[in-house]
Amino acid sequence: MALLLAFYLIFSTVIPASALEDSPATAALVIKADVLYWEEGELVVKEFSGHEERLKVTPETKIEGVVGGRLKTGDKIVAQITDDRKALSIKLQVPDGR
């Protein structure tokens, strides 16, 4: 009986840990960028650091602050993206008008 309990304790801690190793990372990266253009389901942006990125936009991507549908060239955004550059959310940054 003690042997069965030992196996249960070992496998109940080892199996979930190994399953997590192969799972995709859920932490999102945040980038601030200017919109350059749309291209076949991807939003091409230029980060404020100067680096160009292609963000995969899907129907699940939450887009906030856009009136009339799509983002346009020159819009300033803050985006949460995954490691594989899939956009989880995109928020239009509106100038404060000062």
Side-chain angles (χ1 to χ4, degrees), residues 35 37-45 53-61 63 70-71 81 84-88 90:
V35 174
Y37 57 91
W38 283 91
E39 184 177 87
E40 299 180 20
E42 293 184 332
L43 183 62
V44 181
V45 299
E53 287 284 346
R54 292 179 167 274
L55 308 180
K56 297 173 192 166
V57 180
T58 67
E60 292 81 31
T61 302
I63 300 177
R70 293 171 62 139
L71 294 160
I81 61 173
D84 62 353
R85 300 304 184 238
K86 178 182 173 195
L88 301 173
I90 299 172

Side-chain angles (χ1 to χ4, degrees), residues 22-50:
D22 294 331
S23 67
T26 57
L29 305 170
V30 176
I31 64 167
K32 295 180 180 183
D34 290 323
V35 174
L36 297 178
Y37 57 91
W38 283 91
E39 184 177 87
E40 299 180 20
E42 293 184 332
L43 183 62
V44 181
V45 299
K46 187 172 189 177
E47 290 184 76
F48 294 157
S49 66

Side-chain angles (χ1 to χ4, degrees), residues 13-23:
T13 57
V14 172
I15 293 173
S18 64
L20 288 175
E21 290 175 6
D22 294 331
S23 67

Side-chain angles (χ1 to χ4, degrees), residues 33-35 48 71-72 74-78 91-94:
D34 290 323
V35 174
F48 294 157
L71 294 160
K72 60 185 182 303
D75 283 344
K76 296 187 182 318
I77 63 164
V78 174
K91 184 174 182 179
L92 180 63
Q93 296 295 290
V94 180

